[in-house]
Coordinates of all heavy atoms in Angstrom, one line a residue:
M88 N -15.8 17.6 -4.9 CA -15.2 18.6 -5.6 C -15.0 18.1 -7.0 O -14.5 16.9 -7.3 CB -13.7 18.8 -4.9 CG -12.7 19.8 -5.5 SD -11.2 20.1 -4.7 CE -11.8 21.0 -3.3
G89 N -15.2 18.9 -8.0 CA -15.1 18.6 -9.3 C -13.6 18.6 -9.9 O -12.7 19.0 -9.1
A90 N -13.4 18.2 -11.1 CA -12.2 18.1 -11.7 C -11.4 19.5 -11.6 O -10.2 19.5 -11.5 CB -12.3 17.6 -13.1
D91 N -12.1 20.6 -12.0 CA -11.5 21.9 -12.0 C -10.9 22.2 -10.7 O -9.9 22.8 -10.4 CB -12.6 22.8 -12.5 CG -12.8 22.8 -14.0 OD1 -12.0 22.2 -14.6 OD2 -13.9 23.2 -14.3
G92 N -11.7 22.0 -9.5 CA -11.2 22.3 -8.2 C -10.2 21.4 -7.8 O -9.2 21.8 -7.1
L93 N -10.1 20.1 -8.2 CA -9.0 19.3 -7.9 C -7.7 19.8 -8.7 O -6.6 19.7 -8.0 CB -9.2 17.8 -8.3 CG -10.4 17.1 -7.5 CD1 -10.5 15.7 -8.1 CD2 -9.9 16.8 -6.1
E94 N -7.8 20.3 -9.8 CA -6.7 20.7 -10.5 C -5.9 21.9 -9.9 O -4.9 22.1 -10.0 CB -7.1 21.3 -12.0 CG -7.4 20.0 -13.0 CD -6.1 19.3 -13.2 OE1 -5.1 19.9 -13.2 OE2 -6.3 18.1 -13.6
S95 N -6.9 22.7 -9.0 CA -6.2 23.8 -8.4 C -5.5 23.5 -7.1 O -4.8 24.4 -6.6 CB -7.4 24.9 -8.0 OG -8.2 24.3 -7.1
L96 N -5.7 22.1 -6.6 CA -5.0 21.8 -5.3 C -3.5 21.6 -5.7 O -3.1 21.2 -6.8 CB -5.6 20.5 -4.9 CG -7.0 20.6 -4.5 CD1 -7.6 19.3 -3.9 CD2 -7.2 21.8 -3.4
S97 N -2.7 21.8 -4.7 CA -1.2 21.3 -4.8 C -1.1 19.9 -4.8 O -2.0 19.1 -4.3 CB -0.4 21.9 -3.6 OG -0.8 21.2 -2.3
A98 N 0.1 19.4 -5.1 CA 0.4 17.9 -5.1 C 0.2 17.4 -3.7 O -0.4 16.3 -3.5 CB 1.7 17.6 -5.6
R99 N 0.7 18.2 -2.6 CA 0.5 17.7 -1.3 C -0.9 17.6 -0.8 O -1.3 16.6 -0.2 CB 1.3 18.7 -0.4 CG 1.2 18.2 1.0 CD 1.9 17.0 1.2 NE 1.7 16.4 2.5 CZ 2.5 15.6 3.1 NH1 3.6 15.1 2.5 NH2 2.3 15.1 4.3
E100 N -1.7 18.6 -1.3 CA -3.1 18.5 -1.0 C -3.9 17.3 -1.6 O -4.6 16.6 -1.1 CB -3.8 19.8 -1.4 CG -3.4 21.0 -0.5 CD -3.9 22.2 -1.0 OE1 -3.8 22.5 -2.3 OE2 -4.4 23.0 -0.3
L101 N -3.5 17.1 -2.9 CA -4.0 15.9 -3.7 C -3.6 14.6 -2.9 O -4.4 13.6 -2.7 CB -3.5 15.9 -5.1 CG -4.0 17.0 -5.9 CD1 -3.4 17.0 -7.3 CD2 -5.6 16.9 -6.2
H102 N -2.3 14.5 -2.5 CA -1.8 13.3 -1.9 C -2.5 13.2 -0.7 O -3.1 12.0 -0.3 CB -0.3 13.5 -1.5 CG 0.1 12.5 -0.6 ND1 0.1 12.8 0.8 CD2 0.7 11.3 -0.7 CE1 0.6 11.7 1.5 NE2 1.0 10.8 0.7
D103 N -2.8 14.0 0.3 CA -3.4 14.0 1.5 C -4.8 13.5 1.3 O -5.3 12.5 2.0 CB -3.3 15.3 2.3 CG -1.9 15.4 2.9 OD1 -0.9 14.7 2.6 OD2 -1.7 16.6 3.3
R104 N -5.4 14.2 0.3 CA -6.9 13.8 0.2 C -7.1 12.4 -0.4 O -7.9 11.7 0.1 CB -7.3 14.8 -0.8 CG -8.8 14.9 -1.1 CD -9.2 16.0 -2.0 NE -10.6 16.0 -2.3 CZ -11.4 17.0 -1.7 NH1 -10.8 18.0 -1.1 NH2 -12.7 17.1 -2.0
A105 N -6.2 12.0 -1.5 CA -6.4 10.7 -2.0 C -6.0 9.5 -1.0 O -6.7 8.6 -0.9 CB -5.6 10.6 -3.2
V106 N -4.8 9.7 -0.3 CA -4.5 8.8 0.6 C -5.4 8.6 1.9 O -5.8 7.5 2.3 CB -3.0 9.0 1.2 CG1 -2.7 8.1 2.3 CG2 -2.0 8.8 0.0
R107 N -5.9 9.8 2.5 CA -6.8 9.8 3.5 C -8.2 9.0 3.0 O -8.6 8.2 3.8 CB -7.2 11.1 3.9 CG -8.0 11.2 5.1 CD -8.3 12.6 5.6 NE -8.4 13.7 4.6 CZ -7.5 14.5 4.3 NH1 -6.4 14.6 5.0 NH2 -7.7 15.5 3.4
Y108 N -8.6 9.3 1.8 CA -9.9 8.6 1.3 C -9.5 7.2 1.2 O -10.4 6.3 1.5 CB -10.3 9.2 0.0 CG -11.5 8.5 -0.6 CD1 -12.8 9.2 -0.3 CD2 -11.6 7.5 -1.5 CE1 -13.9 8.5 -0.7 CE2 -12.6 7.0 -1.8 CZ -13.9 7.5 -1.4 OH -15.0 6.9 -2.0
A109 N -8.4 6.8 0.6 CA -8.2 5.3 0.3 C -8.0 4.6 1.6 O -8.5 3.4 1.8 CB -6.8 5.2 -0.5
V110 N -7.4 5.1 2.7 CA -7.3 4.4 4.0 C -8.6 4.3 4.6 O -9.0 3.3 5.1 CB -6.2 5.2 4.9 CG1 -6.4 4.8 6.3 CG2 -4.9 5.0 4.3
R111 N -9.4 5.4 4.5 CA -10.7 5.4 5.2 C -11.7 4.4 4.5 O -12.5 3.8 5.3 CB -11.3 6.8 5.1 CG -12.4 7.0 6.0 CD -12.9 8.4 6.3 NE -13.1 9.2 4.8 CZ -12.3 10.3 4.4 NH1 -11.5 10.8 5.2 NH2 -12.6 10.8 3.4
H112 N -11.6 4.1 3.2 CA -12.3 3.2 2.6 C -11.7 1.9 2.2 O -12.2 1.0 1.5 CB -12.8 3.9 1.2 CG -13.8 5.0 1.3 ND1 -13.6 6.3 1.7 CD2 -15.1 5.0 1.6 CE1 -14.4 7.1 1.8 NE2 -15.4 6.3 1.8
G113 N -10.5 1.6 2.8 CA -9.8 0.3 2.6 C -9.5 0.0 1.1 O -9.5 -1.1 0.7
D114 N -9.1 1.0 0.4 CA -8.9 0.9 -1.0 C -7.4 0.7 -1.2 O -6.6 1.4 -1.4 CB -9.3 2.2 -1.8 CG -9.1 1.9 -3.3 OD1 -8.6 0.9 -3.8 OD2 -9.5 2.8 -4.0
F115 N -7.1 -0.7 -0.8 CA -5.7 -1.0 -0.9 C -5.1 -1.2 -2.3 O -4.0 -1.0 -2.5 CB -5.6 -2.4 -0.1 CG -5.8 -2.3 1.2 CD1 -6.9 -2.8 1.7 CD2 -5.1 -1.6 2.2 CE1 -7.3 -2.8 3.1 CE2 -5.3 -1.5 3.5 CZ -6.6 -2.0 4.0
G116 N -6.1 -1.3 -3.2 CA -5.7 -1.3 -4.7 C -5.0 0.0 -5.1 O -3.9 0.0 -5.8
F117 N -5.6 1.1 -4.7 CA -5.1 2.4 -4.9 C -3.7 2.5 -4.2 O -2.7 2.9 -4.8 CB -6.0 3.5 -4.5 CG -5.3 4.9 -4.5 CD1 -5.0 5.6 -5.7 CD2 -4.8 5.4 -3.3 CE1 -4.4 6.7 -5.7 CE2 -4.1 6.7 -3.3 CZ -3.9 7.3 -4.5
L118 N -3.6 2.2 -2.9 CA -2.4 2.2 -2.1 C -1.3 1.5 -2.8 O -0.2 1.9 -2.8 CB -2.6 2.0 -0.6 CG -3.6 2.8 0.1 CD1 -4.0 2.3 1.3 CD2 -3.0 4.2 0.1
W119 N -1.7 0.2 -3.2 CA -0.6 -0.6 -3.9 C -0.2 0.0 -5.2 O 1.0 0.0 -5.5 CB -1.2 -2.0 -4.1 CG -0.3 -2.9 -4.8 CD1 -0.4 -3.5 -6.1 CD2 1.0 -3.4 -4.2 NE1 0.7 -4.2 -6.3 CE2 1.6 -4.2 -5.2 CE3 1.7 -3.2 -3.0 CZ2 2.8 -4.8 -5.1 CZ3 2.9 -3.8 -2.8 CH2 3.4 -4.5 -3.7
D120 N -1.1 0.6 -6.0 CA -0.7 1.3 -7.2 C 0.2 2.4 -6.9 O 1.2 2.7 -7.6 CB -1.9 1.7 -8.0 CG -2.8 0.6 -8.6 OD1 -2.2 -0.5 -8.8 OD2 -4.0 0.8 -8.9
L121 N -0.1 3.2 -5.8 CA 0.7 4.3 -5.4 C 2.3 3.8 -5.1 O 3.1 4.4 -5.6 CB 0.2 5.0 -4.3 CG 0.8 6.2 -3.7 CD1 1.0 7.4 -4.8 CD2 0.2 6.7 -2.6
L122 N 2.3 2.7 -4.3 CA 3.5 2.2 -4.0 C 4.4 1.7 -5.3 O 5.6 1.9 -5.2 CB 3.4 1.0 -3.1 CG 3.1 1.3 -1.7 CD1 2.8 0.0 -0.8 CD2 4.2 2.2 -0.9
K123 N 3.6 1.2 -6.2 CA 4.3 0.7 -7.4 C 4.9 1.9 -8.3 O 5.8 1.8 -9.0 CB 3.3 -0.3 -8.3 CG 3.1 -1.6 -7.7 CD 2.3 -2.4 -8.5 CE 1.1 -2.0 -9.0 NZ 0.2 -2.8 -9.9
A124 N 4.1 3.0 -8.2 CA 4.5 4.2 -9.1 C 5.6 5.0 -8.3 O 6.3 5.6 -9.1 CB 3.2 5.1 -9.2
I125 N 5.8 4.9 -7.2 CA 6.8 5.7 -6.5 C 8.2 5.6 -7.0 O 8.9 6.5 -7.3 CB 6.7 5.6 -5.0 CG1 5.4 6.3 -4.4 CG2 8.0 6.2 -4.2 CD1 5.2 6.0 -2.9
P126 N 8.7 4.4 -7.2 CA 10.1 4.2 -7.6 C 10.2 4.9 -9.0 O 11.3 5.6 -9.3 CB 10.4 2.7 -7.7 CG 9.4 2.2 -6.8 CD 8.2 3.1 -6.9
A127 N 9.3 4.7 -10.0 CA 9.4 5.3 -11.3 C 9.4 6.8 -11.2 O 10.1 7.6 -11.9 CB 8.4 4.8 -12.2
A128 N 8.5 7.3 -10.3 CA 8.4 8.8 -10.1 C 9.7 9.3 -9.5 O 10.2 10.4 -9.9 CB 7.3 9.0 -9.3
E129 N 10.3 8.6 -8.6 CA 11.7 9.0 -8.0 C 12.7 9.1 -9.2 O 13.4 10.1 -9.2 CB 12.0 8.0 -6.9 CG 11.3 8.2 -5.7 CD 11.7 9.2 -4.8 OE1 12.6 10.1 -5.1 OE2 11.2 9.4 -3.7
A130 N 12.8 8.1 -9.9 CA 13.7 8.0 -11.2 C 13.5 9.2 -12.1 O 14.4 9.9 -12.6 CB 13.6 6.7 -11.8
A131 N 12.2 9.5 -12.2 CA 11.7 10.5 -13.3 C 12.3 11.9 -12.8 O 12.5 12.9 -13.5 CB 10.4 10.6 -13.6
T132 N 12.4 12.0 -11.4 CA 12.8 13.4 -10.8 C 14.2 13.4 -10.5 O 14.8 14.3 -9.9 CB 12.1 13.6 -9.4 OG1 12.4 12.6 -8.5 CG2 10.6 13.7 -9.6
G133 N 15.0 12.4 -11.1 CA 16.4 12.4 -11.1 C 17.0 11.8 -9.8 O 18.2 11.9 -9.5
H134 N 16.2 11.1 -9.1 CA 16.6 10.4 -7.8 C 16.6 9.0 -8.0 O 15.9 8.2 -7.3 CB 15.8 10.9 -6.7 CG 15.7 12.3 -6.4 ND1 14.8 13.1 -6.8 CD2 16.6 13.0 -5.7 CE1 15.1 14.4 -6.4 NE2 16.1 14.4 -5.7
S135 N 17.5 8.5 -9.0 CA 17.5 7.0 -9.2 C 18.0 6.2 -7.9 O 17.6 5.1 -7.7 CB 18.4 6.6 -10.4 OG 19.7 7.2 -10.1
D136 N 18.9 6.9 -7.2 CA 19.2 6.1 -5.9 C 18.1 5.9 -5.0 O 18.0 4.9 -4.3 CB 20.4 6.9 -5.1 CG 20.1 8.3 -4.9 OD1 19.2 8.9 -5.6 OD2 20.6 8.8 -4.0
E137 N 17.3 6.9 -4.9 CA 16.1 6.8 -4.0 C 15.1 5.8 -4.6 O 14.5 5.0 -3.9 CB 15.3 8.1 -3.8 CG 14.3 8.2 -2.8 CD 14.9 8.0 -1.3 OE1 16.0 8.3 -1.1 OE2 14.0 7.3 -0.6
A138 N 15.0 5.7 -5.9 CA 14.2 4.8 -6.5 C 14.6 3.4 -6.2 O 13.8 2.4 -5.9 CB 14.2 4.9 -8.1
A139 N 15.8 3.1 -6.3 CA 16.4 1.7 -6.0 C 16.2 1.4 -4.4 O 15.8 0.3 -4.1 CB 18.0 1.7 -6.2
N140 N 16.2 2.4 -3.6 CA 15.9 2.3 -2.2 C 14.5 1.8 -2.0 O 14.1 1.0 -1.1 CB 16.2 3.5 -1.4 CG 16.2 3.3 0.2 OD1 16.4 2.3 0.6 ND2 15.9 4.4 0.9
D141 N 13.6 2.5 -2.7 CA 12.1 2.3 -2.6 C 11.8 0.9 -3.0 O 11.0 0.2 -2.4 CB 11.4 3.3 -3.5 CG 11.3 4.7 -2.9 OD1 11.6 4.8 -1.7 OD2 11.0 5.6 -3.7
L142 N 12.5 0.4 -4.0 CA 12.2 -0.8 -4.7 C 12.6 -1.9 -3.6 O 12.1 -3.0 -3.4 CB 13.0 -1.1 -6.0 CG 12.3 -0.5 -7.1 CD1 13.2 -0.6 -8.3 CD2 10.9 -1.0 -7.4
S143 N 13.8 -1.6 -2.9 CA 14.3 -2.5 -1.9 C 13.3 -2.7 -0.7 O 13.0 -3.7 -0.2 CB 15.7 -2.1 -1.4 OG 16.2 -2.8 -0.4
K144 N 12.8 -1.6 -0.3 CA 11.8 -1.6 0.8 C 10.5 -2.4 0.4 O 10.1 -3.2 1.2 CB 11.4 -0.1 1.2 CG 12.5 0.6 1.9 CD 12.0 2.1 2.1 CE 13.1 2.8 2.6 NZ 12.7 4.3 2.8
I145 N 10.0 -2.1 -0.9 CA 8.9 -2.8 -1.2 C 9.2 -4.4 -1.3 O 8.4 -5.2 -0.9 CB 8.4 -2.3 -2.6 CG1 7.8 -0.9 -2.4 CG2 7.4 -3.2 -3.2 CD1 7.5 -0.2 -3.6
S146 N 10.4 -4.7 -1.9 CA 10.8 -6.0 -1.9 C 10.9 -6.7 -0.6 O 10.4 -7.8 -0.5 CB 12.1 -6.1 -2.6 OG 12.5 -7.4 -2.7
A147 N 11.4 -6.1 0.3 CA 11.4 -6.5 1.7 C 10.0 -6.7 2.3 O 9.9 -7.8 2.9 CB 12.3 -5.7 2.6
L148 N 9.2 -5.8 2.1 CA 7.8 -6.1 2.7 C 7.1 -7.2 2.0 O 6.5 -8.0 2.7 CB 7.0 -4.9 2.3 CG 7.2 -3.7 3.1 CD1 6.4 -2.4 2.7 CD2 6.9 -3.9 4.7
L149 N 7.3 -7.4 0.6 CA 6.7 -8.6 -0.1 C 7.3 -9.9 0.5 O 6.7 -10.8 0.6 CB 6.9 -8.5 -1.5 CG 6.1 -7.5 -2.3 CD1 6.5 -7.3 -3.7 CD2 4.7 -7.8 -2.1
S150 N 8.7 -9.9 0.7 CA 9.3 -11.1 1.3 C 8.8 -11.3 2.5 O 8.7 -12.5 2.9 CB 10.8 -10.7 1.2 OG 11.6 -11.8 1.8
D151 N 8.7 -10.4 3.5 CA 8.1 -10.6 4.7 C 6.7 -11.3 4.6 O 6.4 -12.1 5.4 CB 7.9 -9.3 5.6 CG 9.2 -8.7 6.1 OD1 10.3 -9.5 6.0 OD2 9.3 -7.6 6.6
A152 N 5.9 -10.7 3.7 CA 4.5 -11.3 3.5 C 4.5 -12.7 3.2 O 3.8 -13.5 3.6 CB 3.8 -10.3 2.6
M153 N 5.5 -13.0 2.2 CA 5.6 -14.4 1.7 C 6.0 -15.4 2.7 O 5.6 -16.5 2.8 CB 6.4 -14.5 0.4 CG 6.0 -13.7 -0.7 SD 4.4 -14.0 -1.2 CE 4.6 -15.7 -1.8
A154 N 6.9 -14.9 3.7 CA 7.5 -15.8 4.7 C 6.7 -15.7 6.0 O 7.0 -16.3 7.0 CB 8.9 -15.4 5.0
S155 N 5.6 -15.0 6.1 CA 4.9 -14.8 7.3 C 4.1 -15.9 7.8 O 3.4 -15.9 8.7 CB 4.0 -13.4 7.1 OG 3.0 -13.7 6.2
G156 N 4.1 -17.0 7.2 CA 3.4 -18.3 7.8 C 4.5 -19.1 8.6 O 4.0 -20.2 9.0
E157 N 5.5 -18.8 8.9 CA 6.6 -19.5 9.4 C 6.9 -19.2 10.8 O 6.8 -17.9 11.2 CB 7.9 -19.4 8.7 CG 7.8 -19.9 7.3 CD 9.2 -19.6 6.5 OE1 10.1 -19.3 7.1 OE2 9.1 -19.8 5.3
G158 N 7.2 -20.0 11.7 CA 7.5 -19.9 13.2 C 6.6 -19.1 14.0 O 5.4 -19.1 13.7
R159 N 7.1 -18.3 14.9 CA 6.3 -17.5 15.8 C 5.4 -16.4 15.1 O 4.3 -16.3 15.6 CB 7.1 -17.0 16.9 CG 7.9 -17.9 17.9 CD 8.8 -17.5 18.7 NE 8.2 -16.5 19.7 CZ 8.8 -15.9 20.7 NH1 10.2 -15.8 20.6 NH2 8.2 -15.0 21.4
L160 N 6.0 -15.9 14.1 CA 5.3 -15.0 13.3 C 4.0 -15.6 12.7 O 2.9 -15.0 12.8 CB 6.1 -14.3 12.2 CG 5.5 -13.2 11.2 CD1 4.9 -12.2 12.2 CD2 6.5 -12.8 10.3
G161 N 4.3 -16.7 12.1 CA 3.1 -17.4 11.5 C 2.0 -17.7 12.5 O 0.8 -17.5 12.3
E162 N 2.4 -18.2 13.8 CA 1.4 -18.4 14.8 C 0.7 -17.1 15.3 O -0.5 -17.2 15.6 CB 2.1 -19.1 16.0 CG 2.6 -20.6 15.7 CD 1.4 -21.4 15.3 OE1 0.4 -21.3 15.9 OE2 1.5 -22.2 14.3
A163 N 1.5 -16.1 15.4 CA 0.7 -14.7 15.8 C -0.2 -14.3 14.7 O -1.1 -13.7 15.1 CB 1.9 -13.8 15.9
L164 N 0.1 -14.6 13.4 CA -0.8 -14.3 12.4 C -2.0 -15.2 12.0 O -2.9 -15.0 11.2 CB 0.0 -14.0 11.1 CG 0.9 -12.8 11.2 CD1 1.8 -12.7 10.0 CD2 0.1 -11.5 11.3
R165 N -1.9 -16.4 12.7 CA -2.9 -17.5 12.5 C -4.3 -17.0 12.5 O -5.1 -17.4 11.6 CB -2.7 -18.5 13.6 CG -3.5 -19.9 13.4 CD -3.1 -20.8 14.5 NE -4.1 -21.9 14.4 CZ -4.0 -22.9 13.6 NH1 -3.0 -23.0 12.7 NH2 -4.8 -23.9 13.6
P166 N -4.8 -16.2 13.4 CA -6.2 -15.7 13.4 C -6.6 -14.9 12.2 O -7.7 -15.1 11.7 CB -6.3 -14.8 14.6 CG -5.2 -15.2 15.5 CD -4.1 -15.7 14.7
I167 N -5.6 -14.3 11.6 CA -5.8 -13.5 10.3 C -6.1 -14.5 9.2 O -7.1 -14.3 8.4 CB -4.7 -12.5 10.1 CG1 -4.7 -11.4 11.0 CG2 -4.7 -11.9 8.6 CD1 -3.5 -10.5 11.0
Y168 N -5.2 -15.4 9.2 CA -5.3 -16.4 8.1 C -6.7 -17.2 8.2 O -7.4 -17.5 7.2 CB -4.2 -17.4 8.1 CG -2.8 -16.8 7.9 CD1 -1.7 -17.1 8.7 CD2 -2.6 -15.8 7.0 CE1 -0.5 -16.5 8.5 CE2 -1.3 -15.2 6.8 CZ -0.4 -15.6 7.6 OH 0.9 -14.9 7.4
L169 N -7.0 -17.6 9.5 CA -8.3 -18.3 9.7 C -9.5 -17.4 9.3 O -10.4 -17.9 8.6 CB -8.5 -18.7 11.1 CG -7.5 -19.9 11.5 CD1 -7.5 -19.9 13.2 CD2 -7.9 -21.1 10.9
D170 N -9.5 -16.1 9.6 CA -10.5 -15.3 9.3 C -10.7 -15.2 7.7 O -11.7 -15.2 7.3 CB -10.3 -14.0 9.9 CG -11.4 -12.9 9.5 OD1 -12.5 -13.1 9.7 OD2 -11.1 -12.0 8.8
Y171 N -9.5 -15.0 7.1 CA -9.5 -14.7 5.5 C -10.0 -16.0 4.9 O -10.9 -15.9 4.0 CB -8.2 -14.3 5.2 CG -8.2 -14.1 3.5 CD1 -8.6 -12.9 3.2 CD2 -7.6 -15.0 2.7 CE1 -8.6 -12.8 1.8 CE2 -7.6 -14.7 1.4 CZ -8.0 -13.6 0.9 OH -8.0 -13.4 -0.5
L172 N -9.5 -17.2 5.3 CA -9.8 -18.5 4.7 C -11.4 -18.7 5.0 O -12.0 -19.4 4.2 CB -8.9 -19.5 5.0 CG -7.5 -19.4 4.5 CD1 -6.6 -20.4 5.2 CD2 -7.4 -19.4 3.1
G173 N -11.9 -18.4 6.2 CA -13.2 -18.6 6.5 C -14.1 -17.9 5.6 O -15.3 -18.3 5.2
R174 N -13.7 -16.8 5.2 CA -14.6 -15.8 4.3 C -14.4 -16.2 2.8 O -15.1 -15.8 2.0 CB -14.2 -14.4 4.4 CG -14.7 -13.9 5.8 CD -14.4 -12.4 6.0 NE -12.9 -12.2 6.2 CZ -12.2 -11.3 5.5 NH1 -12.5 -10.9 4.3 NH2 -10.8 -11.2 5.9
H175 N -13.4 -17.1 2.6 CA -13.2 -17.5 1.1 C -12.8 -19.0 1.1 O -11.8 -19.5 1.0 CB -11.8 -16.9 0.6 CG -11.9 -15.4 0.5 ND1 -11.7 -14.5 1.5 CD2 -12.4 -14.6 -0.4 CE1 -11.8 -13.2 1.3 NE2 -12.3 -13.3 0.0
P176 N -13.9 -19.7 1.3 CA -13.8 -21.3 1.4 C -13.3 -22.0 0.2 O -12.9 -23.1 0.2 CB -15.2 -21.7 1.7 CG -16.2 -20.7 1.3 CD -15.3 -19.4 1.4
D177 N -13.4 -21.2 -0.9 CA -12.7 -21.9 -2.2 C -11.2 -21.7 -2.3 O -10.6 -22.1 -3.3 CB -13.4 -21.4 -3.3 CG -13.3 -19.8 -3.5 OD1 -13.3 -19.1 -2.4 OD2 -13.2 -19.3 -4.6
A178 N -10.5 -21.2 -1.3 CA -9.1 -20.9 -1.4 C -8.4 -22.1 -1.1 O -8.7 -23.0 -0.5 CB -8.8 -19.8 -0.2

């Protein structure tokens, strides 16, 4: 679909199309950019309380990722770390 066709779609249709494509193609860069943009978009629409809530959720997910090498969680994720490091021997 060309740029003119995309312009005619609703925000919901654009969201569904973009997110579906990113998930199907493993484009985590786009998904991460989207997550980073949501709090500012919430604030721009006058929902500053929701923006703070979004930032808190993202912060919690990042905190979980940073601590995910500890205890039983770390052991459960061990195969993922081994696979990743095996594909990136310079890590």
Side-chain angles (χ1 to χ4, degrees):
M88 179 176 286
D91 291 337
L93 291 174
E94 285 292 333
S95 69
L96 297 177
S97 70
R99 181 61 190 205
E100 291 169 317
L101 291 170
H102 164 272
D103 291 351
R104 191 177 182 109
V106 170
R107 185 173 41 249
Y108 183 88
V110 168
R111 199 170 48 240
H112 290 88
D114 188 352
F115 297 109
F117 170 77
L118 296 171
W119 180 246
D120 288 344
L121 180 62
L122 284 174
K123 291 188 302 185
I125 289 172
E129 288 280 4
T132 62
H134 296 102
S135 57
D136 56 335
E137 192 64 32
N140 188 28
D141 291 340
L142 286 172
S143 177
K144 288 177 187 175
I145 292 170
S146 176
L148 286 173
L149 289 173
S150 178
D151 285 351
M153 296 307 293
S155 64
E157 300 174 11
R159 294 173 65 187
L160 178 59
E162 289 302 318
L164 294 170
R165 184 178 174 80
I167 293 171
Y168 302 137
L169 288 170
D170 177 63
Y171 183 78
L172 293 171
R174 290 183 285 119
H175 298 86
D177 58 328

